[in-house]
Amino acid sequence: MFLFSDDEHSFSVCTCAKCGSTSLFVALYKLVSGSDYDRHGPPWVHNFVAWNFPNVTESKYAGKLHLIMTRDPVERYISTLHSKVKCFSDH
């Protein structure tokens, strides 16, 4: 789990796969670093430990403010099905 903490704040994030976590981690990177995440390829933005920022760590404990990000499984299934049908219809 992502944890940002300093003397006054602690903020944690828990995400599942395929729920928009890439966009979330890109935004978190920008908030923490003040710049855009511009890497293409490994290490991926989800590998926040590789960011090498002193206040960003991996933790099994939630911060004072905790965000849990999920996605409705039915909506995910419909989105995947739509994506696959669209891919096959383009060829």
Side-chain angles (χ1 to χ4, degrees), residues 10-69:
S10 65
F11 173 69
S12 56
V13 177
C14 183
T15 64
C16 63
K18 302 296 184 188
C19 68
S21 60
T22 299
S23 299
L24 175 65
F25 280 108
V26 166
L28 287 171
Y29 183 90
K30 187 165 189 161
L31 286 170
V32 171
S33 71
S35 62
D36 291 331
Y37 189 83
D38 58 0
R39 293 183 183 169
H40 301 285
W44 307 110
V45 70
H46 303 84
N47 186 3
F48 51 83
V49 175
W51 297 357
N52 293 319
F53 296 126
N55 295 348
V56 174
T57 60
E58 186 172 10
S59 176
K60 60 183 177 180
Y61 301 106
K64 291 178 185 174
L65 179 61
H66 183 64
L67 173 68
I68 299 173
M69 192 167 177

Side-chain angles (χ1 to χ4, degrees), residues 83-91:
S83 173
K84 298 302 176 192
V85 169
K86 186 175 180 179
C87 286
F88 286 117
S89 66
D90 288 345
H91 296 285

